[in-house]
Amino acid sequence: MPKGNKARKRYAAKLLFQYKAVVNSKASIRRVCEERIILFKAASDRKALSYAKNKGHQAENTYRNLQGDRVAFEFVGVRDIIQLGFECNPDEVWYDIKEMVSPMARRAQLIPSDQRLLTPEYREQRRNHFLRLIAPDFLAGVWNDEATKAKPNKLHPADGKKRRG
């Protein structure tokens, strides 16, 4: 978290990333994406936006999957940023207000049951869905442990070229 001014306010920012695989020198236009919410403090809205963008660029990296294809994890941008004020409890990191059609009447379709949320199968299903999208080699049981220890190549935000980082 940024250091400095004692009058810092709490912020949450939603960052958008994409996984871009290059296969036979071509990248598909349809990409697996990740939205990540980060929580931090900043002295102003402008400093908060700058901090969020910096965190996004720091997260970028590239690696080779088991097929030898280059996969880039790229920061696309800040989708949203919000100052978490008095209306937001200390343990909340994000809120969104939107219109929905009859949410209470559609509750059974919108909200999983407590029992479902707490089952190991449900958590495993959510985890496997995520891994299927970003790391199918891991699910196939052929994950290369040596590859995970290697320092990833990073993409420099200014020119998109790989840098060791």
Side-chain angles (χ1 to χ4, degrees):
M1 292 202 185
K3 297 176 181 170
N5 190 335
K6 290 182 183 179
R8 295 179 301 152
K9 298 170 262 184
R10 250 178 17 119
Y11 288 87
K14 186 187 290 187
L15 310 181
L16 179 63
F17 297 90
Q18 70 174 3
Y19 291 86
K20 179 178 154 189
V22 179
V23 180
N24 297 325
S25 301
K26 293 182 182 177
S28 170
I29 61 168
R30 188 161 187 80
R31 309 274 164 75
V32 173
C33 295
E34 174 183 317
E35 288 185 324
R36 178 183 300 177
I37 297 172
I38 60 171
L39 179 66
F40 57 95
K41 290 184 177 181
S44 69
D45 294 347
R46 187 174 301 283
K47 287 182 179 180
L49 181 57
S50 177
Y51 180 82
K53 287 181 177 182
N54 187 42
K55 291 299 279 187
H57 287 298
Q58 288 176 6
E60 293 181 318
N61 67 74
T62 61
Y63 60 93
R64 294 213 176 263
N65 63 16
L66 289 180
Q67 291 76 31
D69 302 320
R70 181 176 162 266
V71 179
F73 181 68
E74 300 174 330
F75 174 59
V76 177
V78 177
R79 295 235 355 174
D80 205 351
I81 191 165
I82 191 166
Q83 181 188 339
L84 302 173
F86 68 91
E87 72 285 357
C88 191
N89 291 325
D91 61 349
E92 293 177 338
V93 296
W94 189 263
Y95 66 89
D96 197 7
I97 298 174
K98 62 174 105 181
E99 288 186 23
M100 299 178 81
V101 176
S102 305
M104 193 58 84
R106 297 180 31 233
R107 185 174 172 176
Q109 293 138 357
L110 297 171
I111 308 296
S113 70
D114 291 354
Q115 181 179 357
R116 176 122 173 94
L117 288 171
L118 295 173
T119 61
E121 294 82 12
Y122 179 77
R123 290 192 310 270
E124 187 70 15
Q125 177 186 28
R126 298 295 298 145
R127 180 176 178 271
N128 285 344
H129 174 74
F130 172 75
L131 289 173
R132 221 180 353 270
L133 293 172
I134 68 155
D137 300 332
F138 181 80
L139 283 178
V142 294
W143 190 255
N144 182 347
D145 285 336
E146 290 304 311
T148 61
K149 293 176 189 171
K151 202 170 193 181
N153 290 322
K154 292 204 173 197
L155 293 176
H156 190 275
D159 59 16
K161 293 183 181 175
K162 287 191 279 185
R163 304 280 198 304
R164 292 300 281 179

